[in-house]
Amino acid sequence: MGRTREAGCVAAGMVIGAGACYCVYRLTWGKDENEKLWDNEEEEEEEVEEEEESCNGKPEIGGKTEKELKTKVGVGAGAKPQDDSKSKVEVNVGPENGPGVKEGVQPESQSGGGLEAKAKALFKTLKEQASAKAGRGIRLSNFSRNRTLTSSLPCPGGRGGGCHPGRTGSRAKNKTSGNKVKRKNRSKSNKAPATTWPARRGKFNFPYKIDDILSAPDLQKVLNILERTNDPFTQEVALVTLGNNAAYSFNQNAIRELGGVPIIAKLIKTRDPIIREKTYNALNNLSVNSENQGKIKTYISQVCDDTMVCRLDSAVQMAGLRLLTNMTVTNHYQHLLSYSFPDFFALLFLGNHFTKIQTMKLIINFTENPAMTRELVSCKVPSELISLFNKEWDREILLNILTLFENINDNIKSEGLASSRKEFSRSSLFFLFKESGVCVKKIKALANHKDLVVKVKVLKVLTKL
């Protein structure tokens, strides 16, 4: 029992000494009037209890538990110190002989003793820290509320909260054990929290306007930019610039001679539909030049496949169809697309108005080459294709489908395929246009069309039957 009491006295003495030093520290150098207190009275008592529990699990002093120990600071949170000599710390200690006896502890007491020596050492350390900070020009009243002491210094159990080292120790144990500790919300710091935002890429300053007519050295710079960049925005601007310049014949040769066709064509493989559309537009303008077609023919099958599988009636599909139409104006590269004839006719039936017109222009290019007639009329086509001969369609669609029928009918005669009708299936274009007779009936019904140009075209076709 004697050792228990001795340990309790030591713990209480450390609390008293630390509180006295803290009070003197506050009264000597002043305190921040704007600093709010962290904890309420209940938290103060809990911190005293937790400090003493860490030393010796709730020892009794004079028949009372340490929870009944109270530290009363004579100066309130908002009061200003008047005189250090008048400041005293009153501590209610339950002594061994009798209760209610008050001991006045002078902050500058010079009496010897182990507890007083420890308190003086703590006070000296705090004074040295304060002097060091004051020497750097920092006012103590503006200290942050997140101050910490070195791990070797004990944490005072009094008010203020400035000496709580990260709320570790016994408070952390209470959190893990599930005990709830009441706290007041701490005031927010004036300093903005450190937030790491991703670095924003600046907009690329393209050296030319997209509608500028560039010289060969400038075109070379644009091609270099296009070849090295992976930025979609930069790629789009460069492709539009090259496509606009490729509309002029002198720049069509310059881009080819600078090796621009492979640089542009490599972007066919990109997954961005906008980039693919701009790529097809640039290649389309370049394909007007016959020498450029010799360079583009390497990619024609890839363009055809992408045009068939991309979204129906999309801008990419329209750009691809225009490029294929330009590439098939001559007879040199038509054979590279013969495997896609059924897809073209399916697209002719499924597409919208603009897709139908562009697909008809493409097929008409094949019908103007007699060498492609057999492959063209032997391919399978949907029977619904006959609906394109109805008078509800506008002039452009009717004129194109009549031209398509007229060219195929002329090629069948010139190639002598009429005698070889047995080699064509009933689902072929040959059977639909020549053998079924349905097409002829539909064309005759258009002879009364309200549009004069359509009437003339119908009469021209009927005279060739």
Side-chain angles (χ1 to χ4, degrees):
M1 187 64 182
R3 289 194 176 186
T4 302
R5 180 173 297 175
E6 182 181 356
C9 291
V10 171
M14 291 179 67
V15 173
I16 294 168
C21 293
Y22 179 75
C23 182
V24 173
Y25 165 72
R26 295 293 297 274
L27 295 175
T28 304
W29 287 281
K31 61 183 179 179
D32 187 5
E33 294 182 1
N34 298 324
E35 181 177 359
K36 295 182 179 179
L37 301 180
W38 279 5
D39 306 311
N40 53 20
E41 296 292 339
E42 296 177 3
E43 187 175 356
E44 173 189 334
E45 295 175 1
E46 290 172 1
E47 288 174 356
V48 174
E49 177 185 355
E50 290 164 359
E51 183 69 24
E52 293 172 353
E53 284 176 2
S54 64
C55 297
N56 186 23
K58 289 188 179 181
E60 295 184 356
I61 302 177
K64 295 183 180 180
T65 61
E66 292 180 7
K67 187 175 182 180
E68 299 176 2
L69 298 178
K70 296 183 180 179
T71 304
K72 296 183 179 179
V73 181
V75 183
K80 295 182 179 180
Q82 301 294 333
D83 189 5
D84 292 347
S85 61
K86 298 179 181 179
S87 302
K88 295 182 179 180
V89 180
E90 292 184 1
V91 183
N92 293 334
V93 181
E96 299 178 6
N97 298 329
V101 181
K102 294 184 178 180
E103 291 183 7
V105 180
Q106 295 291 342
E108 296 184 2
S109 175
Q110 301 296 331
S111 59
L115 295 178
E116 293 180 1
K118 293 180 180 178
K120 289 176 68 175
L122 174 61
F123 172 76
K124 184 178 179 181
T125 304
L126 292 172
K127 185 176 180 180
E128 289 175 356
Q129 288 184 354
S131 300
K133 292 181 180 179
R136 292 195 297 267
I138 301 175
R139 292 180 59 191
L140 295 179
S141 59
N142 293 330
F143 280 172
S144 172
R145 291 181 177 85
N146 295 326
R147 293 171 291 175
T148 57
L149 297 176
T150 56
S151 57
S152 60
L153 297 177
C155 182
R159 280 183 155 189
C163 299
H164 291 280
R167 294 286 181 180
T168 57
S170 59
R171 297 297 293 271
K173 293 179 182 178
N174 287 340
K175 286 185 179 181
T176 56
S177 61
N179 297 332
K180 296 182 179 179
V181 181
K182 295 182 180 180
R183 296 183 183 178
K184 290 184 179 180
N185 293 331
R186 302 178 184 177
S187 59
K188 294 182 179 179
S189 175
N190 295 330
K191 188 178 280 189
T195 307
T196 56
W197 297 96
R200 178 176 290 183
R201 280 185 74 179
K203 219 173 188 181
F204 178 74
N205 188 15
F206 199 73
Y208 309 102
K209 294 182 180 180
I210 58 176
D211 54 350
D212 286 345
I213 302 175
L214 305 179
S215 61
D218 294 331
L219 289 174
Q220 181 68 68
K221 292 179 182 179
V222 176
L223 289 172
N224 291 340
I225 292 172
L226 183 61
E227 186 176 17
R228 295 173 185 175
T229 185
N230 291 322
D231 180 33
F233 174 77
T234 308
Q235 290 175 342
E236 181 182 356
V237 176
L239 286 171
V240 173
T241 304
L242 292 171
N244 290 344
N245 278 268
Y248 303 93
S249 58
F250 55 89
N251 276 339
Q252 293 169 3
N253 293 324
I255 293 173
R256 183 189 69 254
E257 292 169 359
L258 293 172
V261 174
I263 295 175
I264 297 173
K266 74 173 183 178
L267 295 176
I268 296 174
K269 299 179 181 180
T270 185
R271 301 180 65 179
D272 191 339
I274 297 177
I275 301 301
R276 293 210 311 276
E277 177 196 355
K278 305 306 180 186
T279 301
Y280 292 156
N281 289 339
L283 293 175
N284 182 35
N285 289 344
L286 288 171
S287 65
V288 177
N289 186 297
S290 59
E291 294 185 26
N292 287 343
Q293 285 190 357
K295 299 287 185 179
I296 300 173
K297 70 176 182 179
T298 308
Y299 313 98
I300 190 171
S301 298
Q302 188 176 351
V303 174
C304 183
D305 294 340
D306 181 53
T307 303
M308 294 299 106
V309 300
C310 68
R311 186 169 59 86
L312 183 66
D313 303 329
S314 63
V316 179
Q317 191 172 68
M318 287 297 298
L321 287 172
R322 285 193 294 267
L323 175 57
L324 295 177
T325 303
N326 270 359
M327 289 295 296
T328 54
V329 169
T330 61
N331 302 338
H332 302 300
Y333 313 111
Q334 290 181 356
H335 63 281
L336 299 175
L337 300 177
S338 59
Y339 70 95
S340 296
F341 285 160
D343 296 328
F344 293 148
F345 282 105
L347 194 61
L348 180 61
F349 170 69
L350 296 173
N352 61 13
H353 177 269
F354 301 102
T355 304
K356 280 180 169 61
I357 292 175
Q358 194 62 50
T359 307
M360 284 180 184
K361 292 178 180 180
L362 175 60
I363 298 176
I364 287 173
N365 287 344
F366 293 106
T367 61
E368 290 177 350
N369 182 10
M372 300 296 299
T373 303
R374 183 178 292 273
E375 293 182 53
L376 191 63
V377 298
S378 62
C379 72
K380 295 182 179 180
V381 296
S383 59
E384 293 83 1
L385 192 64
I386 201 69
S387 62
L388 293 176
F389 292 93
N390 291 336
K391 60 182 180 180
E392 288 79 10
W393 295 106
D394 62 0
R395 174 198 290 184
E396 191 170 9
I397 288 182
L398 288 175
L399 290 178
N400 278 292
I401 192 65
L402 288 171
T403 301
L404 179 62
F405 178 85
E406 179 186 10
N407 291 345
I408 290 177
N409 187 62
D410 291 344
N411 290 337
I412 289 175
K413 289 181 179 180
S414 62
E415 294 295 319
L417 297 178
S419 58
S420 306
R421 60 174 62 101
K422 293 183 179 180
E423 64 180 275
F424 302 108
S425 65
R426 295 181 63 87
S427 60
S428 64
L429 183 64
F430 179 86
F431 184 85
L432 183 65
F433 276 10
K434 190 71 178 176
E435 292 298 313
S436 65
V438 180
C439 261
V440 177
K441 293 180 181 179
K442 290 281 186 180
I443 293 172
K444 289 180 179 180
L446 292 175
N448 298 324
H449 199 275
K450 60 182 179 179
D451 191 288
L452 181 60
V453 178
V454 175
K455 278 185 179 181
V456 173
K457 186 67 174 178
V458 168
L459 294 175
K460 180 182 178 182
V461 171
L462 290 176
T463 55
K464 291 184 177 181
L465 293 176

